[in-house]
Structure formats: structure tokens, C-alpha cells
Amino acid sequence: MYFKAVLLHSHQKMQIERSLSATYYLLQGKPSIQTIQDGQIYGLNGYFGLYKRLKKERFFQIVESLIEDRLLEKVQENNYRVTALGKKIIKKHLLRPNYLQGSKYHQIDDLFFQRLLLFVQVFTNTKRNNMKFIPIVENREVELWLKNFYVKWKNKSDYILRTLYDELLELLSPLENISAEVFVEQLTGFNHIGLTVEQLAHRYRLSVESILLLHINTIHYFLHSIEKDSAHYPLLRHLSKDLYEQDSLTKSTKITKNLIELGYTLEEIAAKRRLRLNTIYDHVVEIALIDRNFSISPFVSKEIEEEIVAAVNHLRTYKLKEIKQSVRDEISYFQIRLVLAKFNEKIKESESIIKQ
């Protein structure tokens, strides 16, 4: 029920404003401005991109089961709400403790785990002088990374394995048994093949999606702990330090950001890059959503910002069309989106904000 609780919780936060498809795109991590902004506005950043390979057909199969179990009910066409029974499921089955930071780690969690899997396999086999094994990970990028590390440390496998054991033991000890077990049972070592997610789902009588949730929660806990106290986990920090440096902005948005920093206007950037101005607007909103140090003051005056915030508070909605109709005509959708992107935390803290 772990996954169902997450699905219900996500939709409960957005149900007045967004469709069930919005929940799917959030969990899948769709790289669209609307989905990224949904995560920010509705306080669902932790769930962003948790299920990158989730098929839409599978998602709506689960939705149908929620409707059949009276956890979701149809209000009108394409509009559903979480029932009282559904709210009980959320309360009972949401992960606790919850370490999920999808918007921060969704681009690196898989890569970190693949490195760790191959690292354990290579060094446990090296210790036993066995180099005739099939790599558990088929990822050229991961293989090249490990090869560089292995060349330097292959003669110190005892030290490497002891250090890794100590660091993993310390990280896993505070976790619930099932979370620690799901992680450990996926590891492949000398003469031992780790279990797949499907095998773990069968063993624990949970859905594949719920096992994945337990797994990702653990990986995000690892990544946060390593980043917070890198000196305490030197080996795991070495496995991950370059991953933290990855920029979460899309390639095209990075180009736009660089041109803004060089002093180009948005109109000049659109002409220079031969892109529609609305595309450049999307880039700026993306930057505002992801880069908390990015100032929107060149595009939105303080007066306009306050008017947009007041409209949101009064209307109790984040729907762009309704906000636009409530403010002066000269205030653009672009400015509204920017204010929502940059100052949604202030909006949430207001006394008259939407009650969840």
C-alpha cells in the first residue's frame, strides 16, 4: 500500500486544481514547467521523478483499483477526489520517516545505486581472486567510472570493503528492517546474485511500485546523509561527489541563463537563438523554480508581485487563468508564473492560503 498512499497523497494535494494525469507526470518526473511547478506549489517536490519508468497504463490500472476500493471517487468528468477511507490509507501507509527528495535527487539516484552495485560486485570478487563474472550493471558510464577507481585501489580491496561495510552499517542501522533488507538483498557479491525488484515484491508480498518506493527512500536518505556529513562517509562520498555537481537545468535553459547573465534581454535571446519568446519565458520560469538565488525583479516589479500574491490569497487557487482574470490586464501569464515559481513558499505561509 506504500505506493497507493503516495498516489493518493499526491492527488489529495492537487485534486481541486489538477487532473490525475498531473499526478502521473509528477511521479514520473516529466521535465515540463507545469509539472515542476506543481511539485513546488503543492509541496510535492519529494515525489518528483520517483517512478521514471512508470507506464501510464500501469498508473491508471492502479487508479482503477483505488476507485473500486472506494479510496477515490469521481466528482465529475476527469475530476476525482480522495475519500475518507482514502485519507485513512494515506495516514496509515505514508512512509515514516520520509527521506524522499525527488526534485533534488531524481537525476542521480539511479546512477548512484548502479555505481554502488557494481562497486560491491567488483571488490568482493577481487578479494576472492575471481575476475570471471558478468557485471550486474550494463551501463558504460558506470563501468568507466569504476574502472578508474579500481585501477587506483585494486590492491587494497580489504580496506575498501571494510570501509564500505562500516559506512553502510552506520547508514542502515537506524532504518526499519524492511528498508534495510530491501537494500541489502539487491547487492551482488562473490557467488551471490542480488534479488530483482520483482523478486523482492514477491518475497514481501508488496507491489513492485511499493518496493521501489522503499528502495528510493533509502537511496535518498543515503544521498542526503553523505552530502550533509561527507567527512563521516569518505568512501561513499567518493562514489557520489561528482553526481551532486550535476546541474538540474535542461541544456537549452542553461544557454538562456548564460545569455541573461551576459545582459541580453529576453527578446534578444529569442532572436539570437531563433526560438519563440514563449519558449524563453519557459526557460526563465524553470530557472526561477530551480535556482533559489535567481532574481525575478528584472521581470516583475514589487507592486505586481504583491498584486499577484493577493489574488492567489483571495481566490484560493493556483489556476493561471483565474489569477489572470483577477489582476490588471497588463500583468502577463509569464509574470504570474514567475511569482508562483519564486515566491510560492511565502504564499503558502499566508493565513488565507489554500487549506489542504
Side-chain angles (χ1 to χ4, degrees):
M1 295 296 288
Y2 295 114
F3 175 72
K4 290 183 177 180
V6 164
L7 194 161
L8 289 167
H9 186 233
S10 300
H11 187 61
Q12 181 188 29
K13 290 244 181 177
M14 296 195 289
Q15 62 189 1
I16 299 173
E17 309 275 316
R18 300 284 188 263
S19 67
L20 280 163
S21 290
T23 299
Y24 168 72
Y25 293 133
L26 178 86
L27 296 175
Q28 192 201 38
K30 183 179 179 181
S32 71
I33 299 303
Q34 182 65 67
T35 303
I36 295 170
Q37 195 154 22
D38 283 348
Q40 293 273 20
I41 290 174
Y42 298 103
L44 294 168
N45 277 337
Y47 296 157
F48 185 88
L50 295 186
Y51 296 92
K52 293 177 275 290
R53 299 175 187 84
L54 180 63
K55 301 296 184 184
K56 201 166 189 179
E57 181 181 5
R58 171 61 178 163
F59 174 83
F60 280 101
Q61 284 176 352
I62 296 171
V63 167
E64 285 300 320
S65 72
L66 295 175
I67 295 170
E68 290 174 7
D69 293 338
R70 299 183 181 180
L71 306 179
L72 270 180
E73 62 182 2
K74 189 173 185 178
V75 179
Q76 57 189 35
E77 192 65 29
N78 296 323
N79 194 319
Y80 295 82
R81 68 182 172 201
V82 178
T83 65
L85 184 58
K87 292 175 183 177
K88 290 181 180 178
I89 294 297
I90 294 171
K91 187 175 181 179
K92 182 177 180 181
H93 293 287
L94 271 187
L95 286 178
R96 293 182 182 87
N98 182 341
Y99 301 107
L100 298 169
Q101 296 188 55
S103 62
K104 185 174 183 179
Y105 295 135
H106 77 281
Q107 291 185 319
I108 68 172
D109 48 18
D110 281 350
L111 194 53
F112 170 73
F113 185 60
Q114 287 179 33
R115 285 184 179 183
L116 192 53
L117 280 178
L118 192 57
F119 188 95
V120 170
Q121 184 186 24
V122 168
F123 277 93
T124 54
N125 277 280
T126 297
K127 181 176 172 60
R128 297 299 187 97
N129 297 314
N130 175 41
M131 300 308 294
K132 295 181 179 180
F133 59 87
I134 300 174
I136 196 69
V137 172
E138 294 182 3
N139 183 319
R140 186 61 178 163
E141 181 183 350
V142 173
E143 291 174 358
L144 289 173
W145 177 88
L146 187 57
K147 182 178 180 180
N148 291 331
F149 184 91
Y150 179 74
V151 169
K152 298 177 183 178
W153 293 92
K154 62 182 178 181
N155 296 322
K156 295 185 179 181
S157 58
D158 285 346
Y159 167 77
I160 290 294
L161 289 173
R162 170 52 61 181
T163 302
L164 181 61
Y165 176 83
D166 290 342
E167 291 183 17
L168 289 178
L169 180 62
E170 182 164 342
L171 283 169
L172 292 169
S173 293
L175 298 181
E176 290 186 2
N177 287 343
I178 187 171
S179 295
E181 290 168 5
V182 164
F183 171 78
V184 171
E185 289 174 2
Q186 292 181 77
L187 301 179
T188 291
F190 177 72
N191 283 345
H192 171 77
I193 303 296
L195 298 181
T196 65
V197 171
E198 290 76 15
Q199 290 169 328
L200 288 167
H202 178 73
R203 171 172 290 188
Y204 289 98
R205 297 182 180 180
L206 292 170
S207 68
V208 167
E209 290 80 15
S210 289
I211 291 293
L212 278 171
L213 185 64
L214 290 170
H215 165 71
I216 296 168
N217 194 46
T218 299
I219 297 303
H220 287 191
Y221 159 67
F222 278 17
L223 289 168
H224 173 73
S225 300
I226 296 163
E227 185 178 26
K228 183 180 179 182
D229 191 5
S230 59
H232 205 63
Y233 306 102
L235 183 55
L236 288 171
R237 176 61 177 175
H238 194 86
L239 265 74
S240 57
K241 62 182 179 180
D242 61 310
L243 300 179
Y244 294 109
E245 298 166 0
Q246 292 188 11
D247 195 332
S248 53
L249 294 175
T250 60
K251 183 177 180 180
S252 186
T253 299
K254 289 178 193 175
I255 297 172
T256 294
K257 184 182 180 185
N258 290 336
L259 291 172
I260 291 172
E261 291 171 348
L262 289 172
Y264 288 90
T265 67
L266 302 189
E267 290 76 13
E268 288 171 341
I269 293 171
K272 184 178 181 65
R273 300 194 59 197
R274 298 183 181 179
L275 294 173
R276 294 168 56 246
L277 184 57
N278 282 339
T279 300
I280 303 302
Y281 287 161
D282 283 346
H283 292 170
V284 177
V285 173
E286 183 183 344
I287 296 165
L289 282 165
I290 293 173
D291 184 353
R292 304 313 297 172
N293 296 318
F294 180 74
S295 174
I296 65 170
S297 59
F299 316 105
V300 184
S301 69
K302 189 67 177 176
E303 181 185 3
I304 289 175
E305 174 199 329
E306 290 174 352
E307 183 172 347
I308 293 169
V309 170
V312 174
N313 287 338
H314 175 71
L315 296 170
R316 299 190 177 192
T317 185
Y318 294 121
K319 289 184 177 179
L320 296 178
K321 185 177 180 179
E322 292 184 24
I323 297 170
K324 181 73 171 71
Q325 292 172 343
S326 182
V327 297
R328 286 173 286 162
D329 289 343
E330 57 264 34
I331 295 177
S332 68
Y333 279 108
F334 169 56
Q335 291 173 315
I336 295 170
R337 292 167 66 205
L338 268 184
V339 171
L340 291 179
K342 199 64 180 173
F343 297 104
N344 66 80
E345 289 304 319
K346 291 183 180 180
I347 295 170
K348 285 182 185 180
E349 292 169 2
S350 175
E351 291 182 356
S352 59
I353 197 60
I354 299 172
K355 304 297 181 183
Q356 295 298 340

